[in-house]
C-alpha cells in the first residue's frame, strides 16, 4: 500500500498525519509513505525528523484584507495555486498512491483535488470546529471529511461525508495514571496542580498577565502547585518576578526560581505527557491539538482563545467545550492576571465543580482517534 499525506502550516496540521502514518506502519510494515507540503514550511522539518520522505509544492496563503499589499499577495498566491496543479499531478503520477490524506494547510488543496480527479481515494481531516478554507474547497471532491466533534457536522454542506474521528493525541499521554504522573513530578502533597502555557501568537501579552497570577498565588500561600511554560518570554518573566517583593519569598538564580514552594516556571515543558496527565486544571489557548488533549484527558480548563488566528477558529473551538461544561472561556480582553487567578482558585476550591467539568470534557474526548482515522481511510480504498 502506498499513501500520500499532504499537510502544513502548523504542527496541528502535521501531527495528525504523522500519528496516522505511524499507526498504518504498525498495521502494514511494508506500506510506503510520502508527505507533501510547502518547501519552506515547518512541515518539512517535522516530517523529515520523523523519518518520512518529503516533496514540496510552493504555495501561498490568502489575506482577508486587501489593504497594505493584500491584493498583490493574493494575486501571487493565485498564480502559485495555478502552477501547483501540474506539480501535484507530477507527484501523484510518480508515486502512484493508493490513497491520499490531507490534514490541513494550503498545500493540501492541489494534491487532494488532483488525486480526486484522477480517481484516487481521498480523505481530509479537519481538526478545528469550523472548517478552514482548504477544507471548504475540498468538501465536494474528497470521499470523506474527518472531524473532531459531532457538532462539527452542521458546518458542512454534505453531512453524509462527515465522519467523527477526533484528533489524535500522543499515546504517551496515557502511559501513566494521574497518581503515577504526580509521583514522577515529585508532587508529594495533596495540593492540586495547575498547568499553564501559551502559544507563540500573543504569548508576551499573556505572560505579562501570568506575572500578576504568580504574585497573587504567592500572596495566598501557594494553594496549588503551578507549572508554567513561558516559551521565548522566559527571561522577561523572571526579570519581572525579581521585583515582586516579599510575597514571592523568592531568590532568583540565573536558571530560574529558587524557594518558591509549588511554582515551577520553565522555558518549555519538555515532559508534557506526565505534566498534562497530572494536571487538575489547564490554562491555555484553544488550538485544535490542545483541545483534543484536554478532552481526551478529561481535564478542566480555562481557555483564552487567541484573537490572532484566521476566522476566529480558536474561540469557536473553545465555545464547544464551554457548552459541555468542561471549560471556562475568557476572551483575551477579559483575561487579566487577577481574573485568571480568581477563576482558577474558585474552580479548585470546589470539588463538585471540578468533577462536573471533567465529565463535560470526557463527553467530548476521543482517545482512539488515530484508530478511527485509520478505519475511515481504509474503508474508502478501492
Amino acid at each position: 500500500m502506498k499513501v500520500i499525506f499532504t499537510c502544513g502550516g502548523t504542527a496541528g496540521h502535521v501531527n495528525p498525519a504523522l500519528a496516522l502514518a505511524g499507526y498504518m506502519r504498525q498495521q502494514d510494515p511494508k506500506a510506503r509513505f510520502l508527505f507533501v507540503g510547502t518547501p519552506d514550511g515547518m512541515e518539512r522539518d517535522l516530517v523529515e525528523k520523523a523519518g518520512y520522505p518529503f516533496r514540496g509544492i510552493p504555495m501561498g496563503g490568502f489575506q482577508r484584507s486587501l489593504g497594505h499589499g493584500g491584493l498583490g499577495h493574493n494575486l501571487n498566491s493565485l498564480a502559485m495555486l495555478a502552477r501547483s496543479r501540474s506539480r501535484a499531478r507530477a507527484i501523484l503520477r510518480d508515486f502512484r498512491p493508493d490513497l491520499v490524506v490531507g490534514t490541513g494547510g494550503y498545500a493540501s488543496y492541489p494534491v487532494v483535488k488532483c488525486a480526486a480527479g484522477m480517481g484516487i481515494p481521498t480523505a481530509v481531516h479537519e481538526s478545528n470546529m469550523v472548517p478552514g478554507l482548504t477544507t471548504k474547497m475540498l468538501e465536494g471532491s474528497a470521499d470523506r471529511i474527518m472531524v473532531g466533534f459531532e457538532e462539527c457536522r452542521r458546518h458542512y454542506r454534505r453531512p453524509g461525508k462527515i465522519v467523527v474521528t477526533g484528533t489524535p493525541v500522543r499515546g504517551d499521554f496515557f502511559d501513566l495514571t494521574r497518581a503515577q504522573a504526580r509521583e514522577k513530578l515529585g508532587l508529594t502533597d495533596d495540593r492540586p496542580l495547575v498547568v499553564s502555557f501559551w502559544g507563540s501568537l500573543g504569548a508576551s501579552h499573556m505572560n505579562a498577565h501570568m506575572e500578576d497570577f504568580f504574585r497573587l498565588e504567592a500572596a495566598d500561600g501557594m494553594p496549588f502547585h503551578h507549572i508554567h511554560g513561558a516559551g521565548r518570554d522566559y527571561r522577561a518573566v523572571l526579570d519581572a518576578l525579581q521585583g515582586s517583593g516579599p510575597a514571592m519569598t523568592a531568590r532568583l538564580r540565573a536558571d530560574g526560581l529558587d524557594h518558591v514552594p509549588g511554582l515551577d516556571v520553565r522555558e518549555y515543558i519538555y515532559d508534557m505527557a506526565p505534566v498534562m496527565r497530572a494536571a487538575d486544571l489547564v490554562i491555555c489557548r484553544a488550538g485544535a491539538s490542545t483541545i483534543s488533549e484536554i478532552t481526551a484527558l478529561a481535564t478542566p480548563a480555562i481557555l483564552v482563545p487567541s484573537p490572532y488566528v484566521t476566522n476566529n477558529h480558536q474561540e469557536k473551538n473553545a465555545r464547544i467545550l464551554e457548552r459541555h461544561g468542561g471549560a471556562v472561556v475568557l476572551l483575551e480582553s477579559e483575561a487579566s492576571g487577577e481574573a485568571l487567578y480568581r477563576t482558577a482558585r474558585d474552580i479548585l476550591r470546589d470539588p463538585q465543580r471540578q468533577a462536573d467539568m471533567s465529565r463535560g470534557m470526557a463527553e467530548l474526548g476521543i482517545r482512539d482517534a488515530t484508530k478511527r482515522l485509520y478505519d475511515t481511510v481504509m474503508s474508502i480504498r478501492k
Side-chain angles (χ1 to χ4, degrees), residues 329-363:
V329 178
L330 295 176
L331 299 182
E332 189 166 292
S333 59
E334 306 166 334
S336 67
E338 181 174 358
L340 289 166
Y341 179 69
R342 303 300 178 200
T343 304
R345 186 193 61 186
D346 291 348
I347 291 171
L348 293 174
R349 283 180 172 176
D350 188 341
Q352 185 59 55
R353 186 180 182 189
Q354 283 182 257
D356 291 342
M357 292 179 73
S358 182
R359 277 194 295 272
M361 287 294 198
E363 289 174 3

